Amino acid sequence: MRVTMKWFPLLIALSCGANAAVADEWQEQEQAREQQAQQDLATAAKELGTARAKLAEAQRLSKELASQFASNEKQLTELSAQWEQASGDMNEIFAVTRQGASDAVKLLADSAVEGQHPDRLAPLKTMAQDKQVPDRAALALLPATLLQEIRESGRIAQFNGKVLDAQGAASEQSLTRVGSFALLGSEGFLQPTAEGLSPVLGLPGRVLSTVAAYQGQEGEALPLDPAHGTLLAMLAQAPTFWQQVQQGGQVGAIIVLLAAIGLGIAAVRLWSLSRELSRVRRQLKSGEYHADNALGRVLTVADKHPELSMETLELRLDEAILQETPRMERGIGMVKVIAAIAPMLGLLGTVTGMIGTFQAITQFGTGDPKIMAGGISMALVTTVQGLVAAIPLILAHSLLQSRFTELSNVLEQQVAGILAERAESNNGGMERAA
């Protein structure tokens, strides 16, 4: 079919009567095209061989690269595992360092050394909040700061610093630092705050006087706060005696009033009975009757009525004793009653305080302990007030009762002695008459 198509134009030309020259020219052209086609085919074959060689080289190189890639992948996996292990250890170290810096800031923020070196904790605060990896210098800063605190805790230093007054105004003062426990100024103990150094307000006068008298000499006593201000704050916030009494409320006020009345009565009656007993003892020593004491008034009855019989005289003396007894016993019963009522009032205050506490819990819940503190404080304070009032009153009643008993025994003994003497004299007169 290809030959037919190839010579088809020649057949047409011959059939059409074309001349031989045209056919020859056409044949030459056809041969030139065949040669060109063969050259193109040879060139294509050569390029194909070159391409196949390149393909083979590329396939070889691909195999080598694949093998190298697998080796690199394995090595990368091993290095990644090592990096994760190393980074995990370093992250733990950095986390511990940041936590240590945060703890050191909290621990040293209230130290007295902070008053002398107020900027020493700034790098630690940065380290505790920074998310970047700390360098070697930052890691060495934490133990250096702790070592400085240890060294300064054993030293007493004097320096000048600014102190804030109650109005917030700063003034330059000469300050004394006692280790890391106390910072002293002209107004007493000082504490470092965010605004600067400020005095600790509300401390008892005995503490301030001790600080004012401190000269830094060897052997001097000075109160220190090893908790870096916590104990001083508790001491400053501790209520005074009058504030503790006021915490008892109305029930506590009643207990205090009754205790004062009972102790007043006990003091007056103790003084009266002691004076009466001393007068009786003085009369017993002297042997003379005096109307300024109970024994003298009782014995005077026997001297005024020498003509009375034994039975009548005994009744007269008993009557005199009964007249003296209420005067000597006056107030003792009241002291006993108050001593018994005071603990009961304390119990009443306890119940009242707990009722107030439960009412506060009902209204506000248990979120804020300060809301419940008032009722609990009242409950405890009134209990203490009741016991404190009852104990001395019971002791006073016991002492008064012993004084009264002693006076009563002396009166009865002397009356019995008078009756015995009268009976002996009557018996002697009857024997002489017989």
Side-chain angles (χ1 to χ4, degrees), residues 10-283:
L10 179 59
L11 292 177
I12 294 174
L14 291 176
S15 63
C16 293
N19 55 22
V22 174
D24 293 338
E25 182 180 359
W26 181 85
Q27 186 177 4
E28 290 176 0
Q29 292 177 356
E30 188 66 24
Q31 289 177 356
R33 283 195 297 271
E34 288 181 357
Q35 291 177 359
Q36 184 65 35
Q38 291 176 358
Q39 291 177 0
D40 293 341
L41 181 60
T43 302
K46 183 177 180 181
E47 292 178 355
L48 178 61
T50 303
R52 287 178 177 176
K54 291 181 179 181
L55 177 61
E57 181 67 20
Q59 290 177 348
R60 183 187 63 79
L61 183 60
S62 176
K63 292 180 180 180
E64 292 180 358
L65 292 176
S67 176
Q68 185 177 359
F69 177 79
S71 177
N72 291 340
E73 188 72 17
K74 182 178 179 181
Q75 185 178 4
L76 179 62
T77 303
E78 295 176 355
L79 293 176
S80 297
Q82 295 177 2
W83 179 83
E84 289 179 359
Q85 182 179 0
S87 62
D89 296 339
M90 293 303 297
N91 288 335
E92 292 180 1
I93 294 175
F94 298 151
V96 171
T97 303
R98 294 190 186 98
Q99 184 64 35
S102 178
D103 295 342
V105 170
K106 295 178 182 179
L107 177 64
L108 304 180
D110 298 328
S111 174
V113 183
E114 184 68 11
Q116 186 177 1
H117 306 285
D119 299 330
R120 65 171 184 155
L121 298 182
L124 294 182
K125 294 179 181 178
T126 303
M127 183 189 303
Q129 300 174 358
D130 193 4
K131 300 302 182 181
Q132 300 295 329
V133 177
D135 55 9
R136 187 184 300 272
L139 293 176
L141 184 62
L142 177 59
T145 304
L146 296 177
L147 289 175
Q148 179 192 18
E149 180 73 12
I150 295 174
R151 287 194 301 268
E152 295 297 332
S153 64
R155 298 175 181 174
I156 298 177
Q158 293 184 348
F159 60 97
N160 293 330
K162 292 184 178 181
V163 180
L164 301 177
D165 56 12
Q167 289 74 29
S171 60
E172 190 80 14
Q173 296 183 12
S174 176
L175 307 178
T176 302
R177 178 179 59 80
V178 182
S180 60
F181 309 107
L183 193 61
L184 311 179
S186 59
E187 300 180 8
F189 282 100
L190 303 177
Q191 59 183 357
T193 61
E195 294 78 14
L197 297 178
S198 61
V200 181
L201 303 178
L203 292 176
R206 65 181 185 277
V207 177
L208 296 178
S209 60
T210 304
V211 174
Y214 180 72
Q215 300 294 330
Q217 302 297 327
E218 184 177 356
E220 285 188 279
L222 179 68
L224 296 178
D225 184 4
H228 293 168
T230 303
L231 297 181
L232 287 177
M234 294 175 60
L235 185 61
Q237 295 176 0
T240 62
F241 175 76
W242 178 243
Q243 290 174 341
Q244 291 178 348
V245 172
Q246 290 178 331
Q247 289 176 356
Q250 296 180 352
V251 178
I254 295 174
I255 294 175
V256 173
L257 179 61
L258 289 178
I261 294 174
L263 292 176
I265 295 174
V268 172
R269 294 307 303 154
L270 181 61
W271 174 79
S272 177
L273 291 176
S274 298
R275 185 185 62 176
E276 189 77 14
L277 186 59
S278 64
R279 290 176 178 177
V280 168
R281 289 172 178 172
R282 185 173 63 250
Q283 178 172 311

Side-chain angles (χ1 to χ4, degrees), residues 272-349:
S272 177
L273 291 176
S274 298
R275 185 185 62 176
E276 189 77 14
L277 186 59
S278 64
R279 290 176 178 177
V280 168
R281 289 172 178 172
R282 185 173 63 250
Q283 178 172 311
L284 290 176
K285 291 180 180 180
S286 63
E288 297 178 357
Y289 298 165
H290 299 280
D292 61 350
N293 61 85
L295 180 60
R297 288 189 292 271
V298 171
L299 297 181
T300 303
V301 174
D303 291 342
K304 290 182 178 179
H305 303 281
E307 74 283 356
L308 296 178
S309 62
M310 286 290 300
E311 291 79 5
T312 305
L313 180 60
E314 183 177 359
L315 293 175
R316 286 280 187 173
L317 293 175
D318 289 340
E319 179 186 3
I321 293 176
L322 291 176
Q323 289 178 352
E324 295 294 334
T325 299
R327 188 179 62 84
M328 294 186 298
E329 199 177 10
R330 186 186 308 124
I332 298 178
M334 181 61 67
V335 174
K336 183 177 181 180
V337 170
I338 295 176
I341 290 177
M344 300 176 68
L345 288 175
L347 180 60
L348 175 62

